[in-house]
């Protein structure tokens, strides 16, 4: 969605100083070799750390609900709402956070977005104790959604630093490092439960207070504002009118929405489905981080598979595998088989991670294919590629926002299923149906042979 204006002349004395870049020419081999690469790598490493902390704060309530014992007076349905509202706000904020990078500068906005994490973390470290009202907990949970916006602004910023040939790897590292914030915060919660006990939930957000300040300081000292970055006028409107935007948004709900939704809900579901096996929060906490950890680590693998085999093909079979994984979870829940249940859920995390990578790879491939077709008809390849880049960036912003809403849908599905029947069976059936819809749409739009099939997607 953000692009760079035409460069002027190089000012080498300034390019090496954080925050003081005079111009940026990543596609110029000489500039990249002498100046660009080390500056881009520095920005990438700092961005990964800041985004990681943001993801951890966004995921805080996947851990906090495990501390809310009977003395808090909150039933399972209420706890699922506490994990749904951060996902909702995080989804809403993704689009404005993407636009903020070009409006305020990547360095400036990363500092601000990091400091905004203190808004939920500080009151959580003070207020959470038995007797606190449910309304207060809902407000605090919703505020952690500010961490969900950090992913979008971080990806938009890092996208500007790297040449086209290196964007995939850089964005994969940035996304994977951020996603690792989910298992990281769950490990922090496990450490607090195992040492201080369930009576001290405030220690979990307290651990992140110095890390938030450190992320803001690292951004202020280690990041740069790029010159000439701007939001392309009309790009969002054009992307919103493009049917591929909504197709990819639907697919991203199935991949990233599943990853973040299961990451938030897994600990609660374990305790509800197998209460005899996990009678206390610490019994469940040692398992909750495994799925998000595996899903984060395999995300780059999904992109690599898409490079080799084609994004649409990988995404199609990935959704088939996710439907099979959800079917295994449903069977295991009805059969009360914990090993099969755990295997099925871990498979869902693995394939949601792979799908995150493959769907992200599909987006630029879609617009490259359309640019080639437009250039063949109109004869102006440069103009076609420029339009493709504008729409591609806007599509990523929209799909990221819509996809994150899948985290809300997952938690609401679990809540309604347990309210209606006391089990999660209805939720698993809904997941199977959604994944079936996703693989059918992938086949119909991107794999089915025909004159309108996009080549290379």
């Amino acid at each position: 969605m953000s692009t760079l204006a035409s460069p002027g002349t190089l000012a080498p004395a300034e390019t090496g100083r954080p925050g003081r870049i005079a111009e940026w020419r990543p596609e110029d081999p000489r500039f990249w070799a002498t100046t660009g690469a080390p500056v881009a790598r520095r920005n990438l490493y700092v961005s990964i750390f800041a985004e990681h902390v943001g993801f951890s704060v966004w995921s805080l309530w996947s851990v906090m609900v495990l501390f809310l014992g009977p003395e808090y007076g909150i039933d399972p349905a209420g706890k699922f709402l506490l994990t749904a509202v951060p996902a909702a706000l995080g989804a809403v904020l993704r689009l404005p956070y993407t636009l903020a990078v070009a409006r305020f500068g990547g360095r400036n906005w990363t500092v601000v977005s990091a400091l905004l994490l203190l808004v939920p973390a500080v009151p959580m470290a003070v207020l959470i104790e038995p007797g606190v009202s449910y309304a207060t907990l809902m407000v605090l949970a919703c505020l952690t959604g500010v961490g969900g916006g950090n992913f979008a602004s971080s990806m938009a910023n890092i996208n500007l630093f790297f040449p086209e040939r290196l964007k995939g790897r850089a964005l994969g590292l940035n996304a994977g490092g951020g996603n690792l914030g989910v298992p990281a915060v769950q490990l922090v919660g496990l450490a607090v439960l195992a040492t201080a006990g369930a009576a001290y939930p405030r220690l979990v957000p307290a651990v992140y207070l110095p890390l938030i300040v450190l992320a803001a300081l690292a951004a202020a000292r280690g990041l740069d504002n790029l010159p000439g970055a701007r939001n392309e006028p009309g790009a969002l409107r054009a992307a919103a009118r493009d049917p591929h935007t909504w197709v990819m948004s639907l697919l991203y709900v199935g991949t990233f929405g599943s990853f973040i939704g299961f990451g938030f809900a897994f600990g609660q579901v374990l305790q509800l489905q197998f209460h005899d096996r996990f009678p206390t929060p610490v019994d469940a906490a040692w398992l909750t981080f495994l799925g998000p950890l595996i899903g984060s680590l395999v995300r780059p693998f999904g992109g690599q598979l898409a490079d080799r085999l084609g994004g649409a093909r990988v995404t199609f079979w990935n959704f088939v595998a996710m439907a099979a994984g959800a079917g295994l979870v449903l069977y295991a829940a009805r059969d009360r088989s914990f090993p099969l249940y755990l295997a099925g859920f871990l498979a869902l995390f693995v394939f949601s991670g792979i799908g995150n990578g493959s769907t992200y790879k599909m987006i630029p491939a879609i617009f490259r294919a359309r640019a080639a077709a437009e250039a063949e008809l109109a004869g102006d390849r440069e103009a076609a590629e420029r339009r493709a880049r504008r729409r591609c960036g806007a599509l990523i912003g929209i799909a990221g926002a819509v996809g994150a809403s899948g985290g809300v849908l997952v938690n609401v599905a679990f809540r309604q299923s347990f309210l209606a029947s006391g089990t999660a069976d209805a939720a698993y059936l809904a997941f199977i149906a959604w994944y079936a819809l996703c693989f059918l749409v992938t086949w119909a739009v991107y794999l089915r042979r025909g004159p309108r099939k996009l080549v290379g997607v």
Side-chain angles (χ1 to χ4, degrees):
M1 192 177 306
S2 303
T3 61
L4 290 175
S6 299
T9 58
L10 179 61
E14 295 185 353
T15 55
R17 299 177 60 188
R20 293 181 178 270
I21 287 180
E23 64 166 347
W24 194 247
R25 300 199 311 265
E27 301 297 342
D28 180 341
R30 181 173 174 274
F31 174 86
W32 181 254
T34 57
T35 303
V39 173
R41 283 195 296 268
R42 167 168 46 78
N43 278 266
L44 175 61
Y45 299 150
V46 175
S47 177
I48 288 172
F49 173 64
E51 186 195 339
H52 177 91
V53 175
F55 243 92
S56 294
V57 171
W58 191 25
S59 308
L60 271 171
W61 283 88
S62 68
V63 172
M64 300 304 293
V65 291
L66 299 179
F67 287 85
L68 304 181
E71 64 273 20
Y72 287 85
I74 304 173
D75 62 10
K79 291 181 181 180
F80 278 118
L81 279 183
L82 288 173
T83 52
V85 290
L89 183 61
V92 169
L93 290 179
R94 281 190 161 202
L95 202 52
Y97 268 54
T98 300
L99 298 171
V101 169
R103 177 66 179 84
F104 301 107
R107 171 179 173 267
N108 298 345
W109 183 250
T110 304
V111 173
V112 170
S113 63
L115 292 175
L116 284 173
L117 300 175
L118 293 172
V119 174
V122 170
M124 283 177 66
V126 173
L127 297 176
I128 297 181
E129 60 184 9
V132 64
S133 70
Y134 184 70
T136 300
L137 294 178
M138 282 288 284
V139 170
L140 294 175
C142 184
L143 288 174
T144 59
V146 296
N150 288 21
F151 175 87
S153 57
S154 179
M155 294 291 276
N157 186 43
I158 290 304
N159 182 60
L160 296 175
F161 277 92
F162 286 83
E164 288 294 332
R165 70 184 189 280
L166 299 177
K167 284 183 189 291
R169 181 174 182 274
L171 292 174
L173 289 171
N174 197 55
N179 289 173
L180 284 170
V182 182
V185 74
Q186 292 169 348
L187 284 171
V188 170
L190 174 60
V192 171
L193 284 168
T195 54
Y200 297 94
R202 293 184 292 184
L203 290 178
V204 181
V207 166
Y208 279 91
L209 295 179
L211 294 177
I212 292 169
V213 174
L214 183 59
L217 290 173
R221 294 186 60 84
L223 293 184
D224 301 286
N225 293 321
L226 289 182
R230 63 173 183 262
N231 294 313
E232 290 282 358
L236 270 178
R237 195 180 306 112
R241 291 198 297 261
D242 193 317
H244 289 284
T245 297
W246 304 109
V247 172
M248 293 308 301
S249 295
L250 181 147
L251 301 184
Y252 205 53
V253 167
T255 56
F256 181 77
S258 294
F259 171 80
I260 199 66
F262 293 148
F264 283 8
F266 188 38
Q268 294 181 78
V269 175
L270 272 180
Q271 280 201 284
L272 291 169
Q273 293 270 204
F274 296 94
H275 184 69
D276 54 336
R277 195 180 188 102
F278 302 102
T280 67
V282 73
D283 293 317
W286 73 273
L287 273 178
T288 55
F289 75 94
L290 280 179
L293 176 63
I294 295 170
S296 301
L297 293 176
V298 301
R299 179 170 181 149
F301 180 64
Q304 292 168 6
L305 272 180
D307 283 339
R308 292 176 56 193
L309 305 175
R313 186 182 300 174
V314 172
T315 298
F316 172 83
W317 288 109
N318 191 76
F319 277 123
V320 172
M322 290 184 75
L328 179 60
V329 169
L330 174 61
Y331 171 81
R334 289 177 171 176
D335 199 49
R336 303 293 299 164
S337 172
F338 176 70
L340 280 180
Y341 185 86
L342 181 61
F345 239 115
L346 291 180
L348 284 174
F349 276 110
V350 167
F351 291 115
S352 67
I354 291 174
N356 283 340
S358 65
T359 49
Y360 241 77
K361 284 285 187 177
M362 285 176 68
I363 293 172
I366 289 167
F367 288 101
R368 279 198 304 270
R370 294 179 67 183
E374 289 176 15
E376 189 174 333
L377 289 174
D380 190 346
R381 187 173 186 84
E382 185 177 340
E385 289 179 349
R386 187 165 57 249
R387 286 193 298 271
R389 283 194 296 271
R390 290 174 66 234
R391 294 181 183 180
C392 179
L395 193 158
I396 287 174
I398 295 172
V402 176
S405 68
V408 183
L409 298 177
V410 167
N411 282 272
V412 170
F414 278 127
R415 178 181 185 271
Q416 294 306 117
S417 185
F418 278 110
L419 276 177
S421 63
T423 73
D425 290 4
Y428 302 139
L429 288 170
F431 301 150
I432 293 169
W434 187 267
Y435 301 145
L437 173 64
C438 287
F439 70 67
L440 288 172
V441 167
T442 304
W443 174 81
V445 178
Y446 300 114
L447 292 177
R448 183 177 55 173
R449 295 180 184 275
R452 302 183 67 180
K453 183 178 184 294
L454 295 175
V455 179
V457 176

